[in-house]
Amino acid sequence: MSDVTAKEERKKRSTLVLRPSSRAINTSVSGIHGVHQSTRDTNSIIGCASRRCFSLAGGSKVLEKSAFQTPRQVVRVFDEEDNDITPQPLYQADPAVAQAKASRLFLDEISAGSASDQTAATGSFTMPFSRSILGSSRISSQSTIEFMNEEIEDTFSKRDLPINFPDVPGKRDTVKEHVTEDMLREVTDVYISETDSISLLDMPSTLASVDADDAEAIMERNNQYAELCRNRTGNDKYVDRSVQTLNGAAKNKQVQSDSMVVVDSATTVTTWDMYDTLISPEQCEELCSQEVGRADYPEAGEDASRGAERSVSVGSMASTASAASSLKEVETFGSGINAESDLQLIMLSERFQHCLLVMERSILGNTFQPKLAAYRQLPVTKEPVSVVEQREEDAESSRSPAVERLWAFSCELSRGRSVSSMVWNKKNPDLLGVGYGESGSSKQKPGLVCCWSLKNPTWPERAIQCDSAVTSLDFSSNNPSQLAVGMQDGSIAIYNVKSQDSKSCVLSSSECPNRHLDPVWQLRWTQQELSLTGGEMVESLFSVAADGRISKWFICSSGLDCIDLMKLKKIQNTKKKAGGAKTESVLSALTPGLCFDFHPTDSSVYLVGTLEGLIHKCSCSNNQHFLETYRKHFCPVNRITWSPLSPDVFLSCSSDWTIQLWKQDHHLPMLGFSSTQTAVCDIKWFPKWATVFGAVKEEQLEIWDLNLSILDPIIVQPAAAGVKMESLLFAAQTDCVLVGDSDGHVTVYLLKNLSVGESSQVDILEGILRSAAPEQL
Amino acid sequence: MAETEHAGVEETLKRIEAQKGVIGTIVVNAEGIPIRTTLDNSTTIQYAKLFRLLTMKARSTVRDIDPQNDLTFLRVRSKKHEILVAPEHDFLLIVIQNPCE
């Protein structure tokens, strides 16, 4: 068999012709010869013309079947000697891989038109085929593909190109079964090579090299052109001709728009602005609650609608969480512009009242600045105008002790009343409580208590009207705002001076059955130990009244209640009855007590001065008997006062024109002082120096310094005309003395040039007393 | 209650106005309109406007240094008088005093 073909081949040695045959394919299935032949034929048909391929389309179905069954037919070329010189394809297409993604790839290549290997290989040939493939039915396309595959394989076998032959899609399913894991894992080599350059635009250069072949021609042409250009000017052959472009008629079209409103907005950012914005949510809540409260404030002559408006505006203000603080200043308090309502609102606000207070004090501070500075022992700023005069005055004034009048606390309320008692507040040394007695006019209430502040000498901070003339006052130490007032009708009231309401009376003794029925001459808050071992100090109120009782008051449910510490019994002078039968002292009536004083250190011991002129020393623990009795005065004892610095020394003054200085353990006074023949109303020790004390007589103020003289006072200040001095008070930490008179003035005097040393002078006083002691024996 | 308070406030104002050396008193509301004054109209308006600006500047200065701080009182001492201003958020109280009288 093979020989036969070989022979045939040898006949046509020169040319390797693959003769076409039409339908011989089917018949030649069985035999190898036939197969070879047929393949040869078919391949040649295809190789010649594309149209022949189309002609074969009719028998495509048949072909397909055959193709299905027959394996790929390989072309074999034999030469004369029957040598197999079949050109081997450079690339053996992997049938499995090819079949797997056969048609799809093929079609993709067509559609994409990409310059991949496959398309490049099949590009020029597939294009004509593609049309046919896509247009015709699937089956036909498959068949033509099949044909084409074979053809391609043959014709392009020489090419060094990997050709992927898409196979019939129908085979694909079966082929898929053949794809095993191993095949997938198999490493396939993919060769990538450069495709042909596809020229998209080719504009040849107009430059030509001088050495080019047609360079001369080009140059000739160039010269011709240049000459032409030269000849053109002024040549009749060339006529200038102008051309005009007609401009079309312009049509104006106008458009109008609303002007854009430009608003300038600016803000100044400050540190406090940022701080306010940060904390404004919390503040807004507070502000809202405050303002709502204020909106409910009863306003005279305001409409209800007005109030509603304001609350609405408040609500809106509160809702905006971010309120610039600059806006807050400009914000209107109310929605109305009515000045009257604004004034009302403002004036009723607390802040306005506070502002007024501060303002008044500032103004007065300006006015009284030199005086207050002198009081506080600050260097006095002198006005430049009056410097010259001041110097003259200074030169004149000698170094002798004197008092300088600073100012006087007085107001129209107190005018005409006599000052019965004065007391400093325990906590605030600038606050002075003054009790006034009967007023000259009967219009006002009989009693008045004023709390004065040093910062305002023209108007009291508080003015409390009392039902009867005030005879004594004392501030509490434990509760500094409580002021105990003793009155002429025997009642004791405790006021709280903190509150603005002047009618606030905290407690009163009017319901107490044990109350005094006679004027309370002196009140005192005193700290006392509860137990003897020095437990806690409890403050209690003590009073001495004209009914001869010394009472200790305490607060009970219904007000004040008291227990009697001592009853001042009348003690007859036993000397008178010495000769006769010894009779018991007549305990008839109680003698009025006028004054008392507790010992500075041992607060259970106190002294009482009586109307008879006797001074009793008593103890809190013993309410039956006196510890001791001091007799010297024969007129009512107006004041007793322990020395704050020197222990066991006390002073007493009486209407018998004398002042007596006593020592506790001596029955008789150590020293006695008398100046003028008028009753001594009040006497007080100077807080800083033990040898100085002040005394008030009706017509003058006397300052005694025992260091300098024990016979005469060193300073005598006469009272103002028509005025009687009534009470006396020293100011702590300053050199000032306050004198209250019968006209309601409390005058502040500054003590100057008291030639006293730095020490408290206790030793000097002791020395004086010791020197005086032998006299008393 | 409000009546007595109002009376008390009125009294205090009158006392201030009657103090020694006080030339005039002006109460300005939040908008800068003087609502109560003892001076003539032109002077009042001038003082109100100028001191409102000054107070705002002073407050801004104090708060710029420390935002938690605030202005409580302002006193301007000049050759002839002293002007005391009590600034608040919703009003301004201005008093002019001649202390050397």
Side-chain angles (χ1 to χ4, degrees), chain A residues 167-318:
Chain A
D167 209 351
V168 179
K171 274 192 183 178
R172 214 193 305 159
D173 297 326
T174 53
V175 169
K176 270 187 184 167
E177 289 165 6
H178 296 306
V179 177
T180 61
E181 279 288 315
D182 295 331
M183 282 187 219
L184 286 172
R185 263 194 239 118
E186 210 175 305
V187 177
T188 48
D189 294 324
V190 177
Y191 296 95
I192 300 167
S193 65
E194 203 178 307
T195 62
D196 280 346
S197 299
I198 300 168
S199 183
L200 295 170
L201 174 68
D202 190 9
M203 281 177 69
S205 166
T206 52
L207 291 169
S209 173
V210 175
D211 300 329
D213 296 333
D214 54 349
E216 289 172 10
I218 291 166
M219 279 169 71
E220 184 61 38
R221 274 208 308 278
N222 286 352
N223 291 336
Q224 277 176 4
Y225 184 70
E227 206 170 309
L228 180 75
C229 289
R230 263 182 276 124
N231 292 338
R232 201 172 74 86
T233 60
N235 201 334
D236 291 333
K237 276 206 233 173
Y238 301 94
V239 176
D240 279 326
R241 197 183 185 137
S242 51
V243 175
Q244 186 178 30
T245 311
L246 291 171
N247 293 327
K251 183 177 179 182
N252 286 334
K253 186 158 188 180
Q254 281 141 357
V255 175
Q256 195 173 41
S257 70
D258 288 334
S259 69
M260 298 178 62
V261 178
V262 176
V263 175
D264 281 333
S265 178
T267 181
T268 312
V269 177
T270 50
T271 317
W272 51 264
D273 198 350
M274 292 191 282
Y275 175 83
D276 279 348
T277 317
L278 219 64
I279 62 165
S280 64
E282 302 130 36
Q283 270 193 349
C284 253
E285 290 168 14
E286 290 178 22
L287 209 63
C288 182
S289 59
Q290 274 180 25
E291 299 256 341
V292 165
R294 226 177 272 141
D296 298 339
Y297 214 111
E299 289 140 9
E302 290 282 356
D303 291 339
S305 60
R306 225 171 207 297
E309 271 181 69
R310 203 169 291 110
S311 58
V312 163
S313 67
V314 160
S316 63
M317 183 179 73

Side-chain angles (χ1 to χ4, degrees), chain A residues 497-529:
Chain A
V497 295
K498 230 182 201 175
S499 67
Q500 286 276 1
D501 191 4
S502 60
K503 294 179 183 57
S504 69
C505 169
V506 177
L507 293 162
S508 172
S509 77
S510 43
E511 278 97 45
C512 171
N514 275 358
R515 67 181 188 276
H516 295 295
L517 301 163
D518 288 316
V520 178
W521 288 115
Q522 192 153 7
L523 280 176
R524 186 64 60 88
W525 290 92
T526 308
Q527 301 251 357
Q528 283 199 334
E529 292 165 357

Side-chain angles (χ1 to χ4, degrees), chain A residues 423-429 431 474-478 480 524-525 539:
Chain A
V423 65
W424 288 108
N425 185 295
K426 301 293 186 294
K427 190 169 170 209
N428 181 3
L431 202 63
D474 201 16
F475 270 108
S476 162
S477 326
N478 279 2
R524 186 64 60 88
W525 290 92
E539 205 189 30

Side-chain angles (χ1 to χ4, degrees), chain A residues 367-376 380 404-407:
Chain A
T367 316
F368 284 101
Q369 197 274 339
K371 318 287 189 196
L372 284 172
Y375 179 90
R376 298 206 194 271
V380 178
E404 182 192 337
R405 184 186 178 282
L406 294 179
W407 74 86

